[in-house]
Amino acid sequence: MAKKALFIALLLTSGLAQAQEPDKDGFTQPLKDLKFNPGLDQREFERSTLDALNVDDPFEPWNRRIYHFNYRFDEWVFLPVVRGYRYVTPRFLRSGVSNFFSNLGDVPNLLNSVLQLKGQRSMEITGRLLLNTTLGVAGLWDPATRMGLPKQTEDFGQTLGYYGLTEGPYLMLPILGPSNLRDTGGLVVDYVADYQINFLNVPEVSSDHPEITVLRMVDKRYTTKFRYGQLNSPFEYEKLRYVYTQSRRLQIAE
């Protein structure tokens, strides 16, 4: 009943707001006079809001510790390294590094696309690999995108979800960030597959030259736009958990 009363109150106040005269700049202020039903328990409203963001998280205390570790590691280590990388590396060189590692990433993308029986996507990823590895000089350039073959991401976690495996409990991984039990297992399989395929001999060489792995990690953080704290909310952990879970479901469904 409380949720129903809230819905009615929002409809009524929204209608009143729409009836307001436009502001001088041509816009209205629909939230200016918004008032909740005085008889509604505000705690019930907050509880309902948090329930909407609810995700299976039985390891939440541990996950929150990892989340705070990632937050500080990102702030004190990762982002300063990325800023230093941007400062000392010319833009064209950073672009070449990103394209190179992106081209390597198309190998597991192709494998998982085939496993999911996505024929057209598999052909498009194959085309990207051929074009970028040859015309793009081992992937340093990305002519495939300019020719209408944009980057498409598939991983083994998506493959497992495609075949109906549930996501399992939510997990926050050190440094790597949000995940779940299914996707964490998928990361392991993708890593092993990448090493076994050994495309352009990079995975094998990386085992003897850890600086290549470090560069790949720095590039991954450089190309990832997310920043801890950017949601500017005391409930960032809950929001991040919800957004990750929903985005993975959408990726599997597409």
Side-chain angles (χ1 to χ4, degrees), residues 71-127:
Y71 193 115
R72 296 309 177 190
F73 181 85
D74 209 49
E75 180 182 14
W76 296 337
V77 180
F78 231 160
L79 292 182
V81 170
V82 168
R83 286 192 289 269
Y85 172 68
R86 292 183 61 181
Y87 182 77
V88 303
T89 310
R91 180 185 294 272
F92 78 91
L93 189 55
R94 296 197 306 268
S95 178
V97 169
S98 297
N99 289 335
F100 178 76
F101 288 129
S102 176
N103 190 51
L104 293 180
D106 272 337
V107 174
N109 289 344
L110 174 59
L111 175 62
N112 285 290
S113 183
V114 171
L115 290 175
Q116 294 175 48
L117 307 178
K118 296 179 177 179
Q120 181 177 349
R121 178 164 296 188
S122 299
M123 292 172 59
E124 291 173 352
I125 297 175
T126 300

Side-chain angles (χ1 to χ4, degrees), residues 183-200:
D183 291 348
T184 301
L187 285 174
V188 175
V189 173
D190 284 333
Y191 174 80
V192 172
D194 183 55
Y195 187 83
Q196 292 298 321
I197 295 173
N198 196 29
F199 185 61
L200 299 179

Side-chain angles (χ1 to χ4, degrees), residues 57-69 170-174 237:
D57 190 3
F59 310 116
E60 183 173 349
W62 175 253
N63 284 336
R64 283 186 178 274
R65 292 189 182 95
I66 299 297
Y67 163 79
H68 286 293
F69 167 80
Y170 176 79
L171 297 174
M172 177 65 72
L173 302 180
Y237 174 86

Side-chain angles (χ1 to χ4, degrees), residues 19-184:
Q20 291 177 335
E21 291 295 328
D23 296 334
K24 293 181 180 180
D25 58 0
F27 296 93
T28 59
Q29 298 176 338
L31 299 181
K32 182 178 180 180
D33 298 321
L34 179 63
K35 295 182 175 61
F36 291 107
N37 188 331
L40 179 66
D41 188 344
Q42 185 67 19
R43 290 172 297 179
E44 178 65 23
F45 171 74
E46 294 173 353
R47 191 179 304 114
S48 299
T49 303
L50 291 176
D51 286 344
L53 301 178
N54 191 37
V55 173
D56 182 25
D57 190 3
F59 310 116
E60 183 173 349
W62 175 253
N63 284 336
R64 283 186 178 274
R65 292 189 182 95
I66 299 297
Y67 163 79
H68 286 293
F69 167 80
N70 288 349
Y71 193 115
R72 296 309 177 190
F73 181 85
D74 209 49
E75 180 182 14
W76 296 337
V77 180
F78 231 160
L79 292 182
V81 170
V82 168
R83 286 192 289 269
Y85 172 68
R86 292 183 61 181
Y87 182 77
V88 303
T89 310
R91 180 185 294 272
F92 78 91
L93 189 55
R94 296 197 306 268
S95 178
V97 169
S98 297
N99 289 335
F100 178 76
F101 288 129
S102 176
N103 190 51
L104 293 180
D106 272 337
V107 174
N109 289 344
L110 174 59
L111 175 62
N112 285 290
S113 183
V114 171
L115 290 175
Q116 294 175 48
L117 307 178
K118 296 179 177 179
Q120 181 177 349
R121 178 164 296 188
S122 299
M123 292 172 59
E124 291 173 352
I125 297 175
T126 300
R128 277 186 58 85
L129 269 170
L130 292 174
L131 287 170
N132 288 343
T133 304
T134 55
L135 297 180
V137 190
L140 293 176
W141 287 273
D142 183 13
T145 297
R146 296 183 179 182
M147 298 174 69
L149 294 173
K151 179 79 173 182
Q152 302 186 71
T153 303
E154 299 285 349
D155 57 62
F156 197 70
Q158 288 175 248
T159 299
L160 293 174
Y162 176 82
Y163 286 104
L165 185 66
T166 58
E167 58 205 21
Y170 176 79
L171 297 174
M172 177 65 72
L173 302 180
I175 300 178
L176 298 177
S179 186
N180 55 51
L181 187 59
R182 181 197 61 211
D183 291 348
T184 301

Side-chain angles (χ1 to χ4, degrees), residues 1-13 36-37 40 44-45 48-49:
M1 291 299 293
K3 295 179 181 179
K4 184 177 180 180
L6 172 61
F7 178 72
I8 294 173
L10 288 173
L11 284 178
L12 290 174
T13 52
F36 291 107
N37 188 331
L40 179 66
E44 178 65 23
F45 171 74
S48 299
T49 303

